[in-house]
Amino acid sequence: MKLVAGVDIGNSTTEVAIADFDNNLEFLTSSMVKTTGLKGTVDNVMGVLLALKEACQNINIPIVKLDAICINEATPVIGDVAMETITETIITESTMIGHNPDTPGGIGVGTGKTVFLDELEYIHGNEEVICVIPKSIDFESAAKRLNEAFKKGIEITGAVIQGDDGVIISNRLGRKIPIVDEVAYIDKVPMGMLAAVEVAAPGKTIKVLSNPYGLATVFKLSPEETKHVIPISRALIGNRSAVVIRTPEGDVKERVIPAGKLILMGTKENKIGIEEGSSAIMNSLSKVWPLKDVTGEAGTNVGGMIERVRQIMGELTEQEIEEIKIQDILAVDTFIPQKVQGGLAEEFALENAVALAAMVKTSKLPMETIAKKLQMETNVKVLIGGVEANMAVLGALTTPGTDKPLVILDIGGGSTDSAYIDKRGAVKSIHHAGAGEMVTMLIKSELGLEDYNLAEDIKKHPLAKVESLFNIRYEDGSVCFFQKPLDSSLFARNVIVKKDEMIPIPTKHTLEKIKIIRREAKSKVFVTNTIRALRDIAPNHDLRTIDFVVLVGGSALDFEIPEMISDELSHYGVVCGSGNIRGAEGPRNAVATGLVISYYKSLRGN
């Protein structure tokens, strides 16, 4: 037996295909493991060894019995986010609390100066006040003292409470006032300052404090000052309760870092401001294509981001930073929750941002280093194969029912590769930044999640609402019933439905909102990159000249991506579907299979 292994090192997974070259080409087995380290770096070797070991065990041979190992040319891709306008929300002369506690009391809007509960006896009867109550005072004492103050004619228009007693205190008051509780940093609330408290009815959201003109009315702001409170009002949109307090001038400083400009270098040089948005950036990119390199304006957000990409790649590939060239970018409009400067309960505001995926071109040196180390570890000859997209075409052609001419879309974790093979077998390919990992990043940032794996699960699996302990309603409206009761901790929660478990989503976003964010993220990355890639490789750059598109790679297994891409391509009369490599692997293993086929053909002079 003459056994050859093809190894595809991807951003997310490493795949292996092993074939016997003795008589004809016969594929024997395959395997897949999680990629170790960043794609295209020496850390990949550990994952390759695991994948080879698993595949070899399937056919009961040691790795050393392989005649050759063919690895792909792995190009690293890094995704990062550049803020459009600011890194810290601008708030001048104001502090806010808008953390949406579960148990606010009362209803309505109240304004007045902030005073501690102990100071109520010193207040003049005609002065409107917002009472601040620390956790050290129990709810019964607080309610009793507030009622006594009401009888004395003191105008208490609202309350801010450190504990979670908002409803209990409200139920004991002779006069209903809006009460916001669970304010952890109550000691930071400035005293004697004008404040406004708003609590909406159950099921509704606040209207006054989430409106910049409402804030202007309450605090008698000038037009210039109103501009500065926009971040506050935006941060409070959708909350049931909120507090805004005006602080002494200079108490909260503003710091602005400009978004900066991208400098795109290709057939000519173009400068484009990040604040102009993703469409303008991508239009500017098309005017200079093919891209040779990208830099960012010094001292700006985007300048820092681009240099960070270079620095990381320089360290990982052991190359000088000036040798690292960015050969493609994908810009996508998004929102980023930014911590509000001046907040007292870790408030966040959604800021416009531009997410950038940058594809870095390195020399062949890193792949040669990987090949050398792998050869040393296995004592097997290691060869660096061709361009990923070209190898994927050869693998895709093993899908039953396919023939030349054909286009493949290899949608991986970090990049979208596309290749066109004509009737004569000539292949034209293109490699674009941005794929599955960028979608995960967008979901994570827009939902304000801390857990990357949770965002990955939201991307990959359908959502549901647990309506009772015996049934859930899926995002498409269908209902599923259970014989045994679900875990009580899942009751009334939004969950991700995986094969063997349900994972609760720890956000207050509605099921529909999470679904919209997920689908928009996929559309912004996958559909945009699909159209971009096909235009680049189609004859005469006309999508209508393409008849068949085969989707390969991990993202082709997604429960909605193939349908989204197919719907978009149907406008151009293109037939699109997921591949089935060798009639057995589904859309997986295309590149690994292609590497083996390519080596087989080279040995026979094809």
Side-chain angles (χ1 to χ4, degrees), residues 523-543:
S523 179
K524 287 173 183 176
V525 176
F526 294 124
V527 175
T528 300
N529 253 358
T530 294
I531 299 300
R532 193 160 70 115
L534 294 185
R535 280 211 175 105
D536 282 338
I537 60 156
N540 302 318
H541 304 288
D542 182 2
L543 266 67

Side-chain angles (χ1 to χ4, degrees), residues 277-569:
S278 64
S279 294
I281 293 170
M282 297 311 290
N283 284 338
S284 187
L285 176 64
S286 65
K287 290 173 184 174
V288 303
W289 191 262
L291 194 63
K292 294 176 183 173
D293 199 10
V294 179
T295 59
E297 204 174 4
T300 66
N301 276 305
V302 72
M305 191 214 99
I306 295 294
E307 288 313 304
R308 187 161 60 248
V309 168
R310 287 188 205 283
Q311 189 174 358
I312 291 170
M313 287 310 306
E315 290 171 1
L316 290 170
T317 60
E318 297 181 354
Q319 289 180 266
E320 296 297 323
I321 291 177
E322 52 269 20
E323 290 178 31
I324 306 292
K325 304 295 182 187
I326 294 173
Q327 65 179 29
D328 186 43
I329 59 169
L330 173 65
V332 174
D333 291 326
T334 184
F335 294 97
I336 302 288
Q338 284 293 96
K339 190 169 183 180
V340 173
Q341 187 76 356
L344 296 182
E346 298 187 347
E347 298 81 18
F348 288 83
L350 281 177
E351 292 292 349
N352 292 324
V354 174
L356 290 178
M359 190 166 64
V360 179
K361 187 172 186 179
T362 60
S363 67
K364 266 198 169 184
L365 179 66
M367 289 314 299
E368 287 164 0
T369 307
I370 291 172
K372 240 179 239 180
K373 185 168 183 185
L374 187 58
Q375 189 162 310
M376 197 168 61
E377 294 277 353
T378 60
N379 290 321
V380 176
K381 178 172 68 175
V382 178
L383 308 163
I384 301 172
V387 178
E388 279 184 65
N390 297 28
M391 297 302 102
V393 166
L394 295 177
L397 281 167
T398 65
T399 295
T402 58
D403 197 6
K404 306 167 193 170
L406 178 80
V407 172
I408 65 101
L409 272 174
D410 184 359
I411 305 171
S415 62
T416 301
D417 304 333
S418 184
Y420 174 76
I421 184 168
D422 64 19
K423 287 185 178 180
R424 300 187 312 275
V427 178
K428 180 184 178 184
S429 61
I430 194 77
H431 200 57
H432 284 304
E437 289 181 1
M438 190 178 193
V439 172
T440 304
M441 183 180 71
L442 291 173
I443 292 169
K444 180 177 179 290
S445 64
E446 291 195 23
L447 290 176
L449 303 174
E450 293 182 5
D451 187 348
Y452 180 89
N453 291 326
L454 181 65
E456 183 79 2
D457 283 336
I458 290 173
K459 178 184 77 176
K460 289 181 176 178
H461 303 284
L463 307 169
K465 177 86 171 184
V466 179
E467 295 187 325
S468 76
L469 295 182
F470 290 92
N471 83 285
I472 63 173
R473 186 177 297 275
Y474 282 96
E475 59 181 78
D476 64 359
S478 60
V479 179
C480 180
F481 293 91
F482 301 91
Q483 294 291 329
K484 294 180 180 179
L486 300 171
D487 190 319
S488 59
S489 65
L490 298 176
F491 179 66
R493 302 283 297 275
N494 293 327
V495 295
I496 304 161
V497 184
K498 294 180 76 170
K499 188 176 180 182
D500 300 317
E501 63 177 325
M502 293 182 195
I503 303 171
I505 304 173
T507 75
K508 292 187 178 181
H509 296 291
T510 64
L511 190 73
E512 187 63 23
K513 177 71 172 175
I514 299 169
K515 175 184 173 182
I516 288 170
I517 286 174
R518 182 195 71 215
R519 286 186 64 85
E520 284 185 350
K522 289 179 179 179
S523 179
K524 287 173 183 176
V525 176
F526 294 124
V527 175
T528 300
N529 253 358
T530 294
I531 299 300
R532 193 160 70 115
L534 294 185
R535 280 211 175 105
D536 282 338
I537 60 156
N540 302 318
H541 304 288
D542 182 2
L543 266 67
R544 297 186 186 279
T545 60
I546 297 173
D547 293 322
F548 299 99
V549 171
V550 178
L551 300 177
V552 298
S555 296
L557 291 167
D558 187 272
F559 69 103
E560 58 188 352
I561 289 170
E563 179 190 322
M564 291 172 77
I565 292 175
S566 184
D567 284 348
E568 183 65 25
L569 294 182

Side-chain angles (χ1 to χ4, degrees), residues 82-86 257-261 273-275 297 300-303:
M83 290 302 299
E84 178 193 312
T85 49
I86 51 180
I257 296 179
K261 292 180 179 178
I274 286 290
E275 70 279 355
E297 204 174 4
T300 66
N301 276 305
V302 72

Side-chain angles (χ1 to χ4, degrees), residues 2-10 14-19 21 25 27 48-49 51-52 63 66-74 367 370-372 374-375 378 380-388 391 394 589-603:
K2 183 174 182 179
L3 302 175
V4 175
V7 179
D8 172 23
I9 304 168
T14 296
E15 299 172 3
V16 166
I18 296 179
F21 282 20
L25 178 64
F27 282 92
V48 173
L49 289 171
L52 285 169
I63 294 175
L66 293 171
D67 286 271
I69 298 169
C70 304
I71 63 174
N72 61 315
E73 286 185 17
M367 289 314 299
I370 291 172
K372 240 179 239 180
L374 187 58
Q375 189 162 310
T378 60
V380 176
K381 178 172 68 175
V382 178
L383 308 163
I384 301 172
V387 178
E388 279 184 65
M391 297 302 102
L394 295 177
N589 213 259
V591 175
T593 296
L595 285 163
V596 173
I597 294 171
S598 177
Y599 185 52
Y600 179 79
K601 286 183 174 183
S602 70
L603 290 178

Side-chain angles (χ1 to χ4, degrees), residues 23-331:
N23 297 314
N24 293 313
L25 178 64
E26 182 189 358
F27 282 92
L28 303 177
T29 187
S30 60
S31 67
M32 182 178 73
V33 301
K34 189 174 176 59
T35 295
T36 52
L38 184 72
K39 175 181 176 178
T41 61
V42 180
D43 291 340
N44 298 157
V45 172
M46 186 188 296
V48 173
L49 289 171
L50 287 172
L52 285 169
K53 184 179 179 183
E54 188 178 307
C56 288
Q57 281 176 347
N58 292 341
I59 52 176
N60 297 313
I61 63 159
I63 294 175
V64 75
K65 288 288 185 184
L66 293 171
D67 286 271
I69 298 169
C70 304
I71 63 174
N72 61 315
E73 286 185 17
T75 305
V77 177
I78 293 180
D80 208 338
V81 174
M83 290 302 299
E84 178 193 312
T85 49
I86 51 180
T87 53
E88 293 180 354
T89 299
I90 303 171
I91 296 184
T92 55
E93 297 187 58
S94 57
T95 289
M96 58 171 287
I97 302 165
H99 60 312
N100 217 15
D102 294 323
T103 55
I107 193 169
V109 180
T111 61
K113 287 188 176 180
T114 50
V115 297
F116 279 120
L117 183 65
D118 293 340
E119 297 172 341
L120 284 179
E121 56 188 283
Y122 306 113
I123 301 298
H124 299 296
N126 60 352
E127 192 175 4
E128 291 186 342
V129 297
I130 300 292
C131 192
V132 179
I133 305 172
K135 203 171 185 177
S136 56
I137 300 174
D138 66 84
F139 67 88
E140 282 188 326
S141 299
K144 182 181 177 183
R145 290 162 73 175
L146 287 172
N147 281 325
E148 288 172 355
F150 287 143
K151 288 176 185 177
K152 291 180 182 176
I154 297 173
E155 287 295 317
I156 303 170
T157 58
V160 179
I161 301 174
Q162 188 173 23
D164 59 357
D165 306 325
V167 173
I168 302 174
I169 292 175
S170 182
N171 290 341
R172 286 164 170 72
L173 296 182
R175 187 195 306 172
K176 295 303 175 190
I177 58 172
I179 301 173
V180 173
D181 59 0
E182 299 179 43
V183 179
Y185 308 124
I186 200 122
D187 55 312
K188 293 184 180 178
V189 174
M191 292 295 108
M193 305 307 299
L194 185 60
V197 178
E198 182 176 7
V199 176
K204 295 187 176 181
T205 59
I206 58 172
K207 300 298 180 190
V208 177
L209 301 186
S210 60
N211 177 358
Y213 301 117
L215 287 170
T217 304
V218 168
F219 292 104
K220 298 180 175 58
L221 303 178
S222 68
E224 193 59 37
E225 289 171 321
T226 303
K227 289 180 184 177
H228 285 299
V229 299
I230 289 173
I232 300 177
S233 60
R234 283 175 60 187
L236 300 178
I237 291 172
N239 282 5
R240 191 189 158 197
S241 63
V243 179
V244 175
I245 307 165
R246 185 148 187 174
T247 60
E249 186 174 354
D251 207 40
V252 178
K253 301 290 185 185
E254 65 177 70
R255 179 165 75 88
V256 182
I257 296 179
K261 292 180 179 178
L262 273 176
I263 302 162
L264 308 173
M265 290 166 279
T267 53
K268 57 182 178 179
E269 186 176 297
N270 251 0
K271 286 187 179 182
I272 181 74
I274 286 290
E275 70 279 355
E276 292 184 43
S278 64
S279 294
I281 293 170
M282 297 311 290
N283 284 338
S284 187
L285 176 64
S286 65
K287 290 173 184 174
V288 303
W289 191 262
L291 194 63
K292 294 176 183 173
D293 199 10
V294 179
T295 59
E297 204 174 4
T300 66
N301 276 305
V302 72
M305 191 214 99
I306 295 294
E307 288 313 304
R308 187 161 60 248
V309 168
R310 287 188 205 283
Q311 189 174 358
I312 291 170
M313 287 310 306
E315 290 171 1
L316 290 170
T317 60
E318 297 181 354
Q319 289 180 266
E320 296 297 323
I321 291 177
E322 52 269 20
E323 290 178 31
I324 306 292
K325 304 295 182 187
I326 294 173
Q327 65 179 29
D328 186 43
I329 59 169
L330 173 65

